[in-house]
Amino acid sequence: QVQLVESGGDLVQPGGSLRLSCSTSGFRFSSYWMYWLRQAPGKELEWVATIDRGGDPTFYADSVKGRFTISRDNAKDTLYLQMSGLTSEDTARYYCAKDQQILFRTSYDQPRSQGTQVTVSS
């Protein structure tokens, strides 16, 4: 059974930093492209970042490029999102997701996990 558990969300001031983690189980983590997504109140699910199976290459939404870094530890089956320069526009619930297919980059599974809340406010 595929399980993805996000953590690390918090209330942070504008300009601050956070690192999100996604612990996974139930699938061969190292064989899947992985994604971070987010959903702000009243808005649709938004893609944030993608990472290849080995950690490179990575891809980012324009809104987070240069501020966020996606990474992974295949030995720990864990995905990370390092966020800096946070603004109120980054306030959202963040989800991790795996690709729908093993080995290839196609599209992400729709999140079914609880996600982790990031709130940027002074």
Side-chain angles (χ1 to χ4, degrees), residues 1 19 21 44 48 118:
Q1 180 180 0
R19 188 175 86 153
S21 299
E44 294 186 351
V48 174
V118 173

Side-chain angles (χ1 to χ4, degrees), residues 24-32 72 77 98 102-103:
T24 75
S25 62
F27 66 102
R28 193 184 305 170
F29 178 76
S30 60
S31 296
Y32 283 83
R72 65 193 296 161
D77 293 344
K98 69 171 188 62
I102 192 170
L103 300 180

Side-chain angles (χ1 to χ4, degrees), residues 4 22 24-25 27-34 53 71-80:
L4 304 165
C22 171
T24 75
S25 62
F27 66 102
R28 193 184 305 170
F29 178 76
S30 60
S31 296
Y32 283 83
W33 288 72
M34 295 294 297
R53 296 157 294 163
S71 63
R72 65 193 296 161
D73 186 337
N74 286 345
K76 296 182 179 180
D77 293 344
T78 301
L79 181 72
Y80 302 100

Side-chain angles (χ1 to χ4, degrees), residues 7 46 57 65 70 89 104:
S7 62
E46 176 189 17
K65 198 173 296 182
I70 187 172
E89 297 296 308
F104 299 106

Side-chain angles (χ1 to χ4, degrees), residues 2 4 22 24 26-37 47 49-53 59 70 72 79 95-111:
V2 173
L4 304 165
C22 171
T24 75
F27 66 102
R28 193 184 305 170
F29 178 76
S30 60
S31 296
Y32 283 83
W33 288 72
M34 295 294 297
Y35 304 80
W36 281 102
L37 313 164
W47 167 72
T50 301
I51 188 167
D52 192 3
R53 296 157 294 163
F59 303 92
I70 187 172
R72 65 193 296 161
L79 181 72
Y95 302 90
C96 60
K98 69 171 188 62
D99 200 284
Q100 293 180 2
Q101 290 198 18
I102 192 170
L103 300 180
F104 299 106
R105 179 189 179 192
T106 59
S107 185
Y108 49 80
D109 287 334
Q110 287 297 309

Side-chain angles (χ1 to χ4, degrees), residues 14-15 22 25 42 67 72 81-82 90 97 113:
C22 171
S25 62
R67 301 187 299 120
R72 65 193 296 161
L81 185 68
Q82 179 68 47
D90 298 314
S113 51

